[in-house]
């Protein structure tokens, strides 16, 4: 479960979801990673106080790597519920997605260093 903080005066949202990943090697040696995510309904994880539970989430992410670099393909949908102003939705779409891609690029570039730090802790 994760919580997303929305700006005042909106209520925060919480998400309960499952994620799965598969790594493939295509015939030409291209590495492909597919990550699928979707919301789940459960009574095991209680709703966080003061949050609206988002129960409609879908995400598909494909990373395709070859000798030229990595291509990213993403589909994302969620229904945050409630009365959210159009200006805020437009702002989130125009800033949130680019920030997500920038952070993913940074994380990918530092992944080898991250794995190395995990191995050094053993």
């Amino acid at each position: 479960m994760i919580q997303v903080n929305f700006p005042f005066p909106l209520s925060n949202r919480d998400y309960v979801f499952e994620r799965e990943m598969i790594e493939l090697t295509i015939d030409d040696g291209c590495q492909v990673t597919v990550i699928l995510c979707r919301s789940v309904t459960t009574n095991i994880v209680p709703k966080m106080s003061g949050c609206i539970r988002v129960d409609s989430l879908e995400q598909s992410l494909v990373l395709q790597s070859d000798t030229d670099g990595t291509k990213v393909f993403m589909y994302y949908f969620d229904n945050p519920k409630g009365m959210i102003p159009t200006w805020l939705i437009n702002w989130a779409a125009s800033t949130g997605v680019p920030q997500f891609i920038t952070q993913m690029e940074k994380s990918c570039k530092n992944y080898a260093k991250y794995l190395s730090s995990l191995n050094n802790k053993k």
Side-chain angles (χ1 to χ4, degrees):
M1 176 179 58
I2 63 167
Q3 177 180 341
V4 175
N5 297 322
F6 275 50
F8 178 81
L10 301 174
S11 299
N12 294 341
R13 296 331 195 240
D14 72 351
Y15 296 76
V16 179
F17 57 90
E18 62 185 2
R19 182 182 296 152
E20 58 185 296
M21 180 185 84
I22 186 167
E23 294 179 323
L24 308 165
T25 302
I26 308 293
D27 291 338
D28 61 0
C30 178
Q31 297 292 118
V32 178
T33 302
V34 179
I35 302 168
L36 303 173
C37 181
R38 67 177 176 194
S39 55
V40 294
T41 303
T42 179
N43 293 327
I44 296 172
V45 180
K47 188 177 105 169
M48 296 181 76
S49 177
C51 287
I52 295 174
R53 172 67 46 94
V54 175
D55 53 14
S56 184
L57 161 72
E58 298 174 12
Q59 181 182 26
S60 304
L61 184 65
V62 178
L63 303 163
Q64 179 182 343
S65 298
D66 58 25
T67 56
D68 296 328
T70 302
K71 296 177 184 169
V72 177
F73 305 91
M74 184 175 82
Y75 164 79
Y76 182 89
F77 168 81
D78 80 25
N79 179 357
K81 299 181 185 175
M83 300 297 292
I84 301 175
T86 302
W87 68 265
L88 183 57
I89 292 170
N90 292 338
W91 173 83
S94 65
T95 61
V97 173
Q99 286 176 359
F100 173 80
I101 297 298
T102 299
Q103 183 59 45
M104 183 185 301
E105 180 182 22
K106 180 180 174 185
S107 297
C108 288
K109 287 179 179 177
N110 293 320
Y111 189 64
K113 185 177 178 181
Y114 167 75
L115 287 178
S116 177
S117 73
L118 291 178
N119 290 333
N120 291 336
K121 291 180 182 180
K122 291 181 181 181

